[in-house]
Amino acid sequence: MIELLLTIQLTMLFMMLLMMIIPYMKPPSSYQTFQVYQFMGTLEKEIQTSSDTYIINNTLYLTTLNGDLVSITHYQNFIRRQVNGQGHEILLRDVKDFTVTEDEEIDIIIKTTEEALFYDTIVPFTSR
């Protein structure tokens, strides 16, 4: 009988400690991962359908086939898209850092506010 009471007490203590720890155990956000991959796919399509791409001060500029200048840049906790310097279309939220570099291809690095790191390389169809 004493063993049974001791076992019940230990189980209750363990459950109480577990209930205190559970709120701090946060699984990685698969929804945010999906959003980043969706953004990368959309960005790749936009780069492939543009007539020219270049990067100035970590801002990606695309010239569309109809002559509009599209800029994609990090703004506050967002990645935003502007057409001809106007508008404010949010493409991705909860972004801590957005880095764009160009050599033969365009390298994109995104660091989210949850400290997740994403990397993609896009080769534009346009000739340099």
Side-chain angles (χ1 to χ4, degrees):
M1 190 71 155
I2 293 175
E3 289 178 8
L4 181 63
L5 287 174
L6 193 61
T7 304
I8 290 173
Q9 277 185 329
L10 287 174
T11 303
M12 295 299 281
L13 181 65
F14 176 71
M15 293 299 279
M16 192 171 62
L17 289 173
L18 186 63
M19 293 308 246
M20 291 170 45
I21 294 173
I22 285 177
Y24 297 104
M25 297 172 59
K26 188 175 181 183
S29 172
S30 60
Y31 182 72
Q32 188 175 31
T33 302
F34 174 74
Q35 286 180 328
V36 172
Y37 287 135
Q38 186 177 24
F39 164 74
M40 295 286 198
T42 302
L43 185 60
E44 183 171 2
K45 181 180 177 186
E46 192 154 4
I47 289 171
Q48 300 301 0
T49 58
S50 66
S51 61
D52 188 27
T53 60
Y54 56 94
I55 298 168
I56 299 175
N57 294 331
N58 207 35
T59 299
L60 176 62
Y61 292 97
L62 310 167
T63 305
T64 63
L65 296 176
N66 64 358
D68 289 333
L69 181 63
V70 175
S71 64
I72 298 174
T73 187
H74 184 232
Y75 176 74
Q76 295 178 355
N77 283 348
F78 310 112
I79 295 177
R80 74 173 176 183
R81 178 182 186 268
Q82 292 182 301
V83 179
N84 295 325
Q86 298 179 346
H88 180 82
E89 180 182 0
I90 296 174
L91 300 176
L92 187 62
R93 297 179 184 277
D94 300 325
V95 176
K96 186 175 183 179
D97 190 32
F98 175 65
T99 306
V100 184
T101 57
E102 183 179 30
D103 191 19
E104 291 290 319
E105 67 275 338
I106 297 172
D107 296 316
I108 300 163
I109 301 171
I110 296 174
K111 187 175 188 180
T112 65
T113 54
E114 295 179 351
E115 301 295 324
L117 194 62
F118 297 90
Y119 177 81
D120 195 13
T121 299
I122 301 171
V123 180
F125 290 154
T126 57
S127 60
R128 305 256 172 245

